[in-house]
Amino acid sequence: MSTGDGHFPLSNRDYQPIIGKCKLMCPIKEYNFRKKHNLFHSLEKGEGCHCVKEFHRSAAGETVCHPDNLRPIQVLLETANYLFDEILFHPNSSFVAIYDFIFDRLRSVRQDAVIQELQYTRPQLYIILLEKCINFYCYAAYRKTVDLDLAIDMYINSNHIKNCLETLMDTYCLMSFKFDNPILLKSCLKMLSLYVLQSYVSPETLIEILIKVPKHIRDMQPVKTCVLMCVALRHKNYVKLMKLATLLCHNWIFASLCFLTTNLGEIRSDIIKMLCASHSSKVGSFSALDLRRWLLLQSEKDIISYCKNSGLKILPNNGIQFNKSGSKEVTKYPSGCYVLYTLQTLSKDKIVQHLKGPDMINY
């Protein structure tokens, strides 16, 4: 039960949680050590750049739990915002270098939060912190999808999304899905939508979500739309799925759009395989415009290009001829993707704004 100020008492505990005292993004002890041994990252050098605490595991003779080395929640939120504001689009670094740097520093941010048990002592601000991390991981997955040459380990990245979402769900449950601020509720709905979409590969996880989340929350948008999308995906009802996906585009559900971008390639391939089995014909053809809507592509030219890359026959009237022999896998992301276009229209400032989420540092 909340004490009314966003704090939750630590019941059944006979000790007080550690409270961080470091008011800087990097503790003085670590800063001096790295300065002495010239261990500053290239993104920590230069005008306007700051040293940010690295991620460290506990080791013999070293502790990560000293209050002087831990940053309180306000500093953790400011650190995450700094990484997005000043580092994410650094002009002199590749995205892979930027990703590795931010990934490590956000891991350190989450470590400080876990050690201080902020999930219990400051749950509402802890939620905002996790949402920032999830948004970044989803954005990185989107960048990897459209540029396969980026050296980003998607398995590790996906695991961090999953772990953060599971912790987020636990925190929502601790709060009984009750929020003192409508901004927090709006953010909760967006994260639940992403969690629902991610659960499509595991019916057990989806059922668990639907059991834990109160009905009045499940019936709110965009959660309701994403539940319907997940059901459509499980039943391979791709026409309905794509219609529902356009609603997310219209409502700018950023993290869910990034997730869709990373999975649309597999969905499109499955649609083509199904049509090759069900509409195989040597004389008939399929409407390119109809298929364009099914695959969420923007123009007839885009769908013709995609089908050619899939090894399908294009007739003079731009009809598409499917064959039981199947199609080729398309590895390159197709041009004209409606979801991708929605994300690509975002300016750098807008992307940063979506990653940072609501401004609740002083809440």
Side-chain angles (χ1 to χ4, degrees):
M1 180 181 293
S2 172
T3 60
D5 58 355
H7 295 61
F8 279 71
L10 300 175
S11 57
N12 302 322
R13 300 185 186 204
D14 56 359
Y15 68 94
Q16 290 297 317
I18 301 172
I19 299 176
K21 297 180 180 179
C22 177
K23 302 298 182 181
L24 303 173
M25 288 188 282
C26 182
I28 294 296
K29 181 179 179 181
E30 178 181 326
Y31 176 86
N32 290 335
F33 177 83
R34 290 169 62 191
K35 182 178 180 180
K36 178 181 178 181
H37 297 279
N38 193 25
L39 295 175
F40 289 138
H41 192 280
S42 60
L43 290 168
E44 295 174 318
K45 301 175 181 178
E47 186 178 353
C49 295
H50 298 281
C51 182
V52 183
K53 181 181 178 181
E54 292 179 316
F55 173 76
H56 293 286
R57 290 186 174 87
S58 293
E62 181 182 353
T63 177
V64 295
C65 300
H66 196 285
D68 290 341
N69 296 329
L70 296 173
R71 298 158 291 180
I73 184 61
Q74 288 81 7
V75 178
L76 295 177
L77 290 168
E78 290 169 359
T79 300
N81 286 347
Y82 164 77
L83 293 172
F84 300 149
D85 282 326
E86 306 298 334
I87 304 299
L88 183 61
F89 294 108
H90 195 280
N92 300 321
S93 298
S94 67
F95 182 75
V96 172
I98 291 171
Y99 169 81
D100 289 341
F101 179 80
I102 295 181
F103 183 91
D104 177 85
R105 277 24 178 206
L106 285 181
R107 198 173 181 187
S108 174
V109 163
R110 287 165 53 200
Q111 182 185 50
D112 279 15
V114 169
I115 292 172
Q116 296 175 78
E117 300 187 85
L118 296 178
Q119 181 180 15
Y120 305 100
T121 61
R122 302 299 300 275
Q124 301 202 49
L125 291 179
Y126 181 65
I127 283 171
I128 295 296
L129 185 64
L130 281 180
E131 288 172 352
K132 293 176 187 291
C133 297
I134 292 169
N135 285 333
F136 171 72
Y137 301 141
C138 288
Y139 175 68
Y142 149 71
R143 290 288 298 265
K144 170 68 174 180
T145 301
V146 296
D147 186 357
L148 296 176
D149 293 332
L150 290 179
I152 294 176
D153 190 321
M154 289 302 296
Y155 178 79
I156 293 176
N157 191 77
S158 297
N159 276 343
H160 279 261
I161 295 176
K162 179 182 177 182
N163 293 338
C164 285
L165 284 171
E166 289 174 349
T167 305
L168 204 54
M169 174 63 81
D170 290 341
T171 311
Y172 291 150
C173 291
L174 282 172
M175 298 176 62
S176 300
F177 289 88
K178 295 178 181 178
F179 303 98
D180 299 339
N181 191 302
I183 296 176
L184 288 172
L185 175 59
K186 186 176 180 180
S187 294
C188 168
L189 295 174
K190 291 180 179 180
M191 288 295 119
L192 285 177
S193 301
L194 174 63
Y195 198 17
V196 167
L197 286 179
Q198 285 229 319
S199 71
Y200 85 94
V201 295
S202 172
E204 296 81 8
T205 304
L206 178 60
I207 292 171
E208 182 183 354
I209 294 171
L210 296 179
I211 291 174
K212 288 182 176 179
V213 179
K215 186 177 185 303
H216 73 279
I217 298 288
R218 297 199 309 266
D219 288 342
M220 292 182 181
Q221 296 292 5
V223 177
K224 187 175 182 179
T225 295
C226 288
V227 170
L228 293 174
M229 288 177 65
C230 196
V231 173
L233 196 52
R234 291 294 304 175
H235 290 101
K236 294 186 181 292
N237 187 347
Y238 294 128
V239 175
K240 183 176 181 179
L241 172 70
M242 295 307 193
K243 286 181 179 178
L244 292 169
T246 58
L247 296 178
L248 294 185
C249 295
H250 294 154
N251 290 289
W252 290 100
I253 313 302
F254 181 76
S256 295
L257 288 179
C258 290
F259 173 79
L260 269 180
T261 305
T262 62
N263 288 271
L264 274 177
E266 182 180 343
I267 293 171
R268 288 191 179 102
S269 294
D270 204 21
I271 292 174
I272 296 297
K273 289 176 184 177
M274 290 174 64
L275 289 172
C276 282
S278 63
H279 287 67
S280 177
S281 173
K282 295 181 178 180
V283 292
S285 64
F286 197 90
S287 167
L289 289 177
D290 286 341
L291 188 58
R292 173 188 66 81
R293 287 191 292 269
W294 289 14
L295 300 187
L296 274 187
L297 297 176
Q298 289 185 291
S299 69
E300 191 175 43
K301 179 181 178 182
D302 297 324
I303 189 62
I304 295 299
S305 174
Y306 180 81
C307 289
K308 283 182 178 179
N309 291 333
S310 299
L312 300 176
K313 184 178 180 181
I314 310 299
L315 300 180
N317 64 351
N318 282 346
I320 300 163
Q321 204 166 69
F322 294 104
N323 193 304
K324 283 185 178 179
S325 61
S327 61
K328 297 187 300 184
E329 288 288 338
V330 179
T331 55
K332 185 179 179 182
Y333 209 85
S335 60
C337 172
Y338 185 62
V339 179
L340 181 60
Y341 174 76
T342 303
L343 291 169
Q344 288 178 330
T345 58
L346 292 173
S347 65
K348 292 180 180 179
D349 289 340
K350 279 290 186 181
I351 291 173
V352 169
Q353 183 180 331
H354 280 292
L355 294 184
K356 289 167 64 176
D359 183 11
M360 302 290 289
I361 288 181
N362 297 317
Y363 183 68

